[in-house]
Amino acid sequence: MNRRDLLRASALGALSTVSGDVGTPRAFGAGTTSGDEAVHKYLAGEARRISVIGLAGATTRAEWEKARPRLKREFLDMLGLDPLPEKSPLKATVTGTLDRGTVAVEKLHYQSRPGLYVTANLYRPKDVARGTKLPAILYVCGHSGRGRDGNKTAFQDHGLWFASNGYVCLVVDTLQLGEIAGKHHGTYNLNRFWWHSRGYTPAGVECWNGVRGIDYLCSLPYVDAEKIGVTGISGGGATTNWVVAADDRVKVAVPVSGVSDLECYVGDEVINGHCDCMFFHNLYQWEWTTALALFAPKPLLFANSDSDAIFPMSGNKRIIKRLRKCYALFDAKEKVDEHVSKGGHDYRPDLRIAIFSFFHKHLKGDNTPVKDADFSKIDGKDLRVFPEDKDLPKDAINATADEVFVPVARVELPAEKNFTDWKAGLLKQLRERVFRALPERVPEIRTTRAWKSEISVAEDHAPFYGFTLSAKTDGDKVLTLLVLNPDEEPDQVESGWGNRFVKSALRVAVAPRGGFGSAWTRKNPPNTVERSFALLGRTADTGRVLDVMAVLSHWKKLTTDADKPFQVRVAGRGPAGVIAAYAAILAPGTVQEIVLIDPPVTHRDGPHFLNVMRVFDVPDALGLLAPTVRLTLAGERAKDKAFERTAAVFAAAGAKDKLKRE
């Protein structure tokens, strides 16, 4: 068998016995492990790999302090807060005040950004002597549904305790459960996976609302801006983490039952018990405790319960161990402590007393024993900032915060004279801000008889599958790869769009991870797999790009040594086509032609990659194929005027004739 025949017969290196016309697709990926087992084994392995890093690899105080400025920027970036939004006027407004004996409760709202309303209750001593400066607490709420009253009303006992003991306490509603409701559940049950593409997480909103809440506290004449503390339980525990890592003004922190680690969230699937406000997009692949460690060496109490199913003790023990290690770098072991209460996910007297005592000690220098909160309840309706629905502001953007909070990129089209620099700049951003998780060197495909892919150590247990559709060449020197969407099957593609739009005698279909042959269970909610990927610095579609890159690199090796080299064409419909295009962009020189059938005009419709819309959108991305790759846009969507940007880029690259729209 000569080299050409060997190439034709092997295609992806596993077709040595396959020949003939298109018939029943022959699978060379009939792995014995189910998709669920494989993907969960892979995700858990990745969580362990990242967790081993710990403290960004710092082992000395000098290393940690050197890394900290970079880590803070990365942290804000992963919340969608880099660059930080402008601190626009708060427009704080008090709509009413309650008299509770020695305590006054103000009902107020402020705008963390124009139109983004935060409803809150401020608890303060009723009589504060002129010139007196009091320590202040930002209390960030957990997920306690109180309807129109806002979830701030569920935590009033904390506000009353702090105010009764010489503090000012601002209790702020969350976006999801405040008086003006937004959304926390975008990828949890609303299928808004475009949040990943946009780089949006409601954790960023909660963090920013908290930072602006501190701005409000510091503006009050009776607040000591040097004595600010933050606390909250559950979702409020997570938000405590975000705020104290982001805002250096915070001096004392007590996150309560609100933070776990990757080994729990991903490995043990604890993510299923949490909505999206609990997570940043882990683009930089941090060990999860790193965010809270940014607060070191200031006083921190890590408070939890021993029978909390959504914050298991296994994770709590690992986190406090890591925190103690970090504080030890500063010789500040005495400033970090833990309190473990017996029971489930809730406050109990011992837990509240531990919290209050910690603030008393570190904000007031007072070690006197404290009593638990014991106050008569205020009716939730009486704590409303906006008493009636008619009072709600008409300009509120809370319900559409996900559409505007993180700005999308506005890319200036290149001219012929600067195309090379334009392309190089975007490719650099693409690698650094979107595809950081991809290896610099595309791993080789390791095939078995079943052709289960084990791309690399990191990608082990993430199989993808190939299917021979036709192995005859009939003189055709074009190898065609048909990339499948997760819901597509090889025979359907072959008899459908594959046959209509792509003519070639030598054709192979590839089903990237999660597709035909390796599908995992998709249940909405909680969308376990797709959400877990974001905690590991990628998306499912990022992995699919890598799968296609591995195939293309394999083909390149085969065709390079062939006595009569073959051209490589890649085709796909909808999101799969764009995945194929990104594979070609990130593995240059592997593809000569791409055919995209009905491609999405925006990443809002997929495929989804972390932050991609903060760099560019689909039409600009396709322009990166110029000037070397021929691009055909086919189907109804190809007529969309958005692709005029793609045409403009090809023209600037001097490759106008390499783009067709049909």
Side-chain angles (χ1 to χ4, degrees):
M1 180 180 293
N2 63 32
R3 177 62 179 159
R4 179 180 178 186
D5 291 337
L6 179 62
L7 175 64
R8 180 183 66 238
S10 63
L12 287 175
L15 308 182
S16 58
T17 61
V18 178
S19 61
D21 296 322
V22 175
T24 302
R26 297 170 172 83
F28 45 106
T32 58
T33 307
S34 74
D36 284 328
E37 291 175 326
V39 75
H40 288 298
K41 190 173 183 180
Y42 162 72
L43 292 170
E46 277 291 275
R48 288 191 300 271
R49 179 185 67 81
I50 294 171
S51 295
V52 168
I53 299 171
L55 296 179
T59 58
T60 67
R61 176 175 177 172
E63 289 175 346
W64 177 251
E65 289 183 330
K66 181 180 179 181
R68 192 179 185 279
R70 170 181 59 82
L71 294 173
K72 185 172 180 179
R73 289 193 301 271
E74 291 178 357
F75 171 70
L76 293 172
D77 189 29
M78 293 188 291
L79 286 175
L81 291 173
D82 186 34
L84 283 172
E86 176 189 359
K87 284 195 172 183
S88 53
L90 285 170
K91 298 183 179 180
T93 304
V94 176
T95 64
T97 303
L98 300 178
D99 187 333
R100 301 294 291 183
T102 61
V103 173
V105 185
E106 296 180 356
K107 298 175 282 187
L108 65 96
H109 61 80
Y110 60 87
Q111 297 178 45
S112 65
R113 295 183 65 179
L116 186 53
Y117 283 80
V118 182
T119 43
N121 294 144
L122 181 81
Y123 297 80
R124 59 173 174 81
K126 188 167 65 175
D127 298 314
V128 181
R130 182 183 297 272
T132 299
K133 296 284 188 178
L134 302 176
I137 303 295
L138 174 72
Y139 188 95
V140 282
C141 292
H143 295 96
S144 184
R146 294 295 188 270
R148 264 285 282 113
D149 297 340
N151 56 345
K152 63 186 175 303
T153 64
F155 304 98
Q156 57 183 270
D157 54 345
H158 288 251
L160 289 166
W161 188 94
F162 281 115
S164 298
N165 286 273
Y167 297 81
V168 178
C169 181
L170 182 67
V171 184
V172 295
D173 272 333
T174 61
L175 179 70
Q176 170 80 19
L177 296 171
E179 292 189 39
I180 310 171
K183 301 294 183 185
H184 276 178
H185 293 174
T187 67
Y188 179 77
N189 65 1
L190 299 178
N191 279 321
R192 294 186 182 181
F193 287 99
W194 55 267
W195 282 13
H196 290 161
S197 292
R198 187 152 188 149
Y200 173 80
T201 165
V205 176
E206 300 300 352
C207 179
W208 188 244
N209 287 353
V211 169
R212 299 311 314 273
I214 294 174
D215 288 343
Y216 179 69
L217 284 170
C218 291
S219 74
L220 300 175
Y222 46 82
V223 164
D224 186 344
E226 296 301 316
K227 294 183 178 180
I228 302 291
V230 182
T231 189
I233 191 172
S234 192
T239 300
T240 299
N241 188 5
W242 314 145
V243 174
V244 304
D247 196 324
D248 293 336
R249 293 173 296 181
V250 181
K251 298 301 188 291
V252 182
V254 184
V256 184
S257 299
V259 182
S260 195
D261 66 357
L262 291 178
E263 290 163 275
C264 278
Y265 286 141
V266 177
D268 299 331
E269 299 182 31
V270 172
I271 191 174
N272 292 345
H274 299 289
C275 67
D276 292 356
C277 78
M278 306 297 288
F279 308 113
F280 54 80
H281 298 152
N282 197 12
L283 177 69
Y284 297 93
Q285 295 191 312
W286 282 15
E287 189 286 304
W288 204 256
T289 313
T290 305
L292 194 51
L294 287 175
F295 188 65
K298 291 181 282 189
L300 169 66
L301 177 66
F302 188 58
N304 293 283
S305 298
D306 68 350
S307 299
D308 190 334
I310 56 175
F311 294 102
M313 280 304 298
S314 57
N316 295 339
K317 290 178 180 178
R318 288 189 293 266
I319 291 170
I320 190 62
K321 182 178 179 180
R322 291 164 182 148
L323 288 173
R324 292 189 192 282
K325 181 179 179 180
C326 182
Y327 275 71
L329 298 180
F330 292 89
D331 294 322
K333 293 181 179 180
E334 75 286 355
K335 290 186 179 180
V336 63
D337 204 354
E338 65 176 326
H339 180 85
V340 180
S341 179
K342 294 186 180 299
H345 187 71
D346 202 359
Y347 281 123
R348 283 169 295 280
D350 70 298
L351 189 49
R352 283 191 294 266
I353 289 172
I355 296 164
F356 300 150
S357 297
F358 195 80
F359 281 116
H360 244 28
K361 175 181 178 181
H362 292 284
L363 284 182
K364 299 183 78 173
D366 187 348
N367 289 310
T368 304
V370 303
K371 295 181 180 180
D372 190 16
D374 184 16
F375 304 94
S376 57
K377 183 178 179 180
I378 306 172
D379 189 278
K381 191 172 183 180
D382 292 335
L383 290 169
R384 287 185 184 179
V385 177
F386 298 104
E388 306 294 337
D389 288 356
K390 64 181 177 59
D391 301 317
L392 294 171
K394 302 296 189 294
D395 63 339
I397 64 168
N398 297 43
T400 57
D402 54 352
E403 302 272 4
V404 296
F405 190 78
V406 179
V408 297
R410 305 295 180 189
V411 179
E412 185 177 344
L413 288 171
E416 185 174 353
K417 62 182 179 180
N418 69 341
F419 171 78
T420 301
D421 290 341
W422 179 88
K423 179 174 179 177
L426 287 181
L427 283 172
K428 185 174 186 292
Q429 287 192 62
L430 191 64
R431 270 289 186 180
E432 293 179 353
R433 304 193 66 193
V434 181
F435 290 109
R436 290 185 68 91
L438 293 185
E440 292 185 10
R441 181 175 178 273
V442 180
E444 294 184 5
I445 293 175
R446 297 201 299 270
T447 63
T448 66
R449 179 168 181 162
W451 202 67
K452 173 182 174 181
S453 164
E454 297 177 353
I455 296 178
S456 68
V457 174
E459 298 295 330
D460 204 3
H461 314 298
F464 62 86
Y465 294 77
F467 302 86
T468 315
L469 300 176
S470 173
K472 281 188 174 181
T473 62
D474 296 330
D476 191 348
K477 296 182 181 179
V478 178
L479 295 168
T480 298
L481 177 70
L482 306 181
V483 181
L484 276 57
N485 288 294
D487 60 348
E488 292 180 318
E489 297 186 8
D491 55 347
Q492 295 172 334
V493 169
E494 176 59 18
S495 60
W497 64 260
N499 187 54
R500 178 185 175 191
F501 290 102
V502 187
K503 304 298 182 184
S504 176
L506 180 55
R507 297 141 70 95
V508 171
V510 64
R513 66 189 69 187
F516 187 77
S518 65
W520 52 72
T521 300
R522 291 178 173 83
K523 186 178 180 182
N524 178 41
N527 292 313
T528 307
V529 173
E530 286 78 7
R531 297 174 72 226
S532 294
F533 272 110
L535 270 63
L536 302 174
R538 63 193 72 189
T539 65
D541 284 334
T542 303
R544 293 176 180 124
V545 169
L546 182 58
D547 295 342
V548 179
M549 289 173 67
V551 173
L552 293 177
S553 295
H554 189 74
W555 272 9
K556 184 178 180 180
K557 289 182 179 180
L558 292 175
T559 58
T560 298
D561 296 334
D563 54 348
K564 295 183 178 180
F566 281 61
Q567 295 287 300
V568 176
R569 174 198 293 135
V570 184
R573 181 182 62 84
V578 178
I579 284 172
Y582 273 96
I585 291 166
L586 294 168
T590 58
V591 176
Q592 286 72 50
E593 180 182 0
I594 291 183
V595 180
L596 305 185
I597 298 94
D598 286 323
V601 295
T602 172
H603 278 292
R604 186 184 175 103
D605 300 325
H608 299 298
F609 310 120
L610 294 185
N611 284 330
V612 67
M613 294 176 73
R614 297 171 73 184
V615 176
F616 52 28
D617 216 333
V618 173
D620 297 321
L622 296 181
L624 297 181
L625 294 166
T628 57
V629 179
R630 297 187 301 277
L631 173 62
T632 298
L633 304 177
E636 285 300 312
R637 285 188 181 177
K639 302 173 185 177
D640 195 288
K641 65 179 182 180
F643 292 116
E644 292 174 8
R645 291 185 62 86
T646 310
V649 176
F650 268 74
K656 186 177 181 179
D657 60 333
K658 289 192 175 182
L659 173 64
K660 292 194 301 182
R661 297 166 70 181
E662 57 185 38

